[in-house]
Amino acid sequence: MSSSLKTTATVPEIARRNGVIRNGSRVVPEEVPIAFSYGGSTHAVMMGTPADLEDFAIGFSLTEGIISSVAEIEEILVLDEGRGLDVQITLADDKEDALRARRRHMAGPVGCGLCGIESIDQAMRIVPNVSTIAMPLSPRDITAAMAGLNSAQPLHAETRAVHGAGFYVPGQGLIAVREDVGRHNALDKLAGAVIRQNGRGADGIVVVTSRISVEMVQKTAILGAAVLVAISAPTALAIRTAEEAGMTLVALTRGEDFEVFARSDRVLVGVVSDVA
């Protein structure tokens, strides 16, 4: 399901380094419109990186509530429309009928995963409860997951301009990593990759190179994972949503340091000292 569009481009630049200005070039990521069409009708248009599109289609369909299982997708075709891509998804008849009944259109720019929704209720949707998933983690698991993700992003290493999302299983390490210019897109791609590998969200943790917004919590819960680890901080709404879902949030993960914002009982940190 690959596209003829490249994922990167080399562009000229003028760089100032150590007080010296030089002409040069830099590799930057491509960003294209990616349309998701169901039954021949466009449902959403996202700006994203033209890679791992089948994973993206499956993950997006799952986290948007269009499907509950990959078996409900009959076919995925990627059409190159020149200035963008049309990912055509054929659903089982009952899912196609259900989607047609709730049809909506949205356009999601790279920095906003909720743009284009039609109501406050859609933004504040109830997410699956993951409170019964044990998933005990040591500090070493958390730091290893983030370190592994940082070293498993070839596109970021080349461009320094994309987000990454990984699925870490204690005792196994990272079993999937996906990248995109949009953090929500990277997480959708990861969800699709985990599902295609017959993985279960309950068996591991999601680790991301971004802040934690409420939609990152929602998507992680829909995948079925009980722990979300991030390099940056969460929003207050993300914390409240994670608490309601019984999800552990670990953020500001830098080297061996991290902060836990919800369900800290899963993280085996030993003695906790109060800091004045």
Side-chain angles (χ1 to χ4, degrees):
M1 298 298 172
S2 61
S3 154
S4 61
L5 296 181
K6 295 181 179 180
T7 58
T8 63
T10 301
V11 299
E13 68 168 2
I14 299 174
R16 186 179 188 273
R17 300 284 187 273
N18 300 317
V20 179
I21 297 177
R22 293 189 177 93
N23 291 317
S25 62
R26 167 170 283 275
V27 177
V28 297
E30 287 286 359
E31 179 183 4
V32 301
I34 300 172
F36 291 108
S37 299
Y38 298 87
S41 298
T42 299
H43 177 79
V45 181
M46 310 298 290
M47 300 303 298
T49 303
D52 301 308
L53 296 172
E54 187 167 354
D55 291 337
F56 195 5
I58 294 169
F60 177 86
S61 299
L62 177 74
T63 62
E64 280 293 299
I66 296 170
I67 63 169
S68 57
S69 165
V70 69
E72 294 165 349
I73 294 180
E74 295 184 348
E75 185 179 34
I76 299 173
L77 294 176
V78 179
L79 302 182
D80 189 340
E81 301 292 344
R83 297 184 63 186
L85 301 171
D86 185 7
V87 182
Q88 298 190 352
I89 304 160
T90 302
L91 301 175
D93 289 344
D94 58 334
K95 290 296 176 178
E96 192 71 58
D97 292 342
L99 178 60
R100 191 175 295 111
R102 57 162 272 196
R103 178 76 65 189
R104 62 183 173 85
H105 296 275
M106 69 181 184
V110 122
C112 180
L114 292 176
C115 293
I117 62 174
E118 294 178 339
S119 71
I120 291 174
D121 287 341
Q122 287 177 335
M124 300 301 296
R125 58 186 169 173
I126 297 173
V127 298
N129 190 292
V130 294
S131 61
T132 60
I133 299 172
M135 193 51 63
L137 296 169
S138 68
R140 184 176 180 180
D141 285 320
I142 292 169
T143 57
M146 183 59 72
L149 179 60
N150 289 337
S151 62
Q153 298 179 73
L155 187 57
H156 180 70
E158 190 175 17
T159 67
R160 301 294 176 186
V162 297
H163 287 292
F167 191 71
Y168 178 90
V169 177
Q172 296 183 38
L174 285 167
I175 66 167
V177 174
R178 292 294 182 267
E179 299 179 273
D180 198 277
V181 290
R183 65 186 187 278
H184 305 98
N185 297 348
L187 185 48
D188 277 341
K189 289 180 178 181
L190 177 71
V194 171
I195 292 171
R196 292 181 67 198
Q197 294 179 28
N198 296 317
R200 297 190 322 136
D203 293 334
I205 68 175
V206 172
V207 55
V208 297
T209 61
S210 67
R211 66 180 174 88
I212 302 177
S213 63
V214 65
E215 197 183 23
M216 301 296 276
V217 172
Q218 292 169 340
K219 289 177 182 292
T220 298
I222 291 170
L223 177 59
V227 180
L228 175 57
V229 178
I231 197 171
S232 295
T235 66
L237 180 57
I239 295 170
R240 291 194 296 269
T241 303
E243 289 172 341
E244 292 171 1
M247 181 184 297
T248 298
L249 289 190
V250 182
L252 296 162
T253 308
R254 312 288 173 88
E256 296 184 358
D257 297 333
F258 56 81
E259 299 179 19
V260 185
F261 290 89
R263 281 296 302 266
S264 61
D265 57 292
R266 291 192 179 96
V267 183
L268 308 178
V269 294
V271 177
V272 177
S273 300
D274 290 331
V275 178

